[in-house]
Amino acid sequence: FGEQARSRHRQYLIRRIAWRIQANAEGGLTERALRLADELANDADVRVTPPRPSSGRVSESVRPRPTERDLPAHHDPRLPRPGNAIVRDYKGRRLVVNVLDDGFEWDGVRYPSLSAVAKAITGSHLNGFRFFGLGGGQ
C-alpha cells in the first residue's frame, strides 16, 4: 500500500492488510473519526513490535515449591536406593540430600529431580548427576 510496515507480527499484518482492502472497497473511517483518533492517540504508547519472551527466571519469592504430586514415580539406576543420602561439600557447607521413593529431599523441601536440588542450592541450572558426582551427567 505504499508504506513501510512498522511491525513484523504476522497475524497483525494480515489483519491490517485485510482491513485496508475492505476500507478501499467499502470506504474507511470518517474524517471525524480520524480526527478523534489523532487526538486520543499517543505515539509513545504504541508498540510496533511484539514483546520479547521473558528469560523464564522466577524470583525466589514467587518460585513455587515442588510438591509430592509433581514427583516422578520411577528411579534412575544411577541413583542410590531410596532411604540413602547423597553427600557433597559445596562452598564450605556439607550438603545432605535424601533419596526418596518419589524424588529427593534437601533442607526440608522435596524436589522431583537432582537437577532441581542443584538449582535450589546454586541458583543456576546444573546437571544434578554431574553436580553430585554420580557420573552420567555428560
Side-chain angles (χ1 to χ4, degrees), residues 65-76:
R65 293 265 204 208
T67 63
E68 287 184 27
R69 183 175 38 110
D70 300 329
L71 300 175
H74 65 281
H75 268 283
D76 192 300

Side-chain angles (χ1 to χ4, degrees), residues 55-112:
S55 65
R57 293 184 180 153
V58 179
S59 74
E60 277 302 317
S61 61
V62 296
R63 179 174 288 142
R65 293 265 204 208
T67 63
E68 287 184 27
R69 183 175 38 110
D70 300 329
L71 300 175
H74 65 281
H75 268 283
D76 192 300
R78 297 170 289 181
L79 295 172
R81 293 183 185 268
N84 289 316
I86 302 169
V87 180
R88 176 180 178 195
D89 292 325
Y90 178 74
K91 291 190 176 182
R93 283 174 51 196
R94 177 151 295 225
L95 305 173
V96 179
V97 177
N98 295 318
V99 180
L100 306 174
D101 287 330
D102 53 357
F104 304 91
E105 182 179 27
W106 174 72
D107 205 21
V109 179
R110 297 183 114 181
Y111 295 90

Side-chain angles (χ1 to χ4, degrees), residues 11-25:
Q11 190 170 10
Y12 168 76
L13 291 172
I14 290 170
R15 288 178 179 168
R16 186 167 179 211
I17 291 168
W19 184 87
R20 180 61 74 96
I21 291 170
Q22 180 181 342
N24 287 347

Side-chain angles (χ1 to χ4, degrees), residues 5 15-16 28-29 34 53 71-72 95 103 110 115 124 127 132 135-136:
R15 288 178 179 168
R16 186 167 179 211
L29 296 173
L34 290 171
L71 300 175
L95 305 173
R110 297 183 114 181
S115 294
S124 61
N127 183 299
F132 289 100

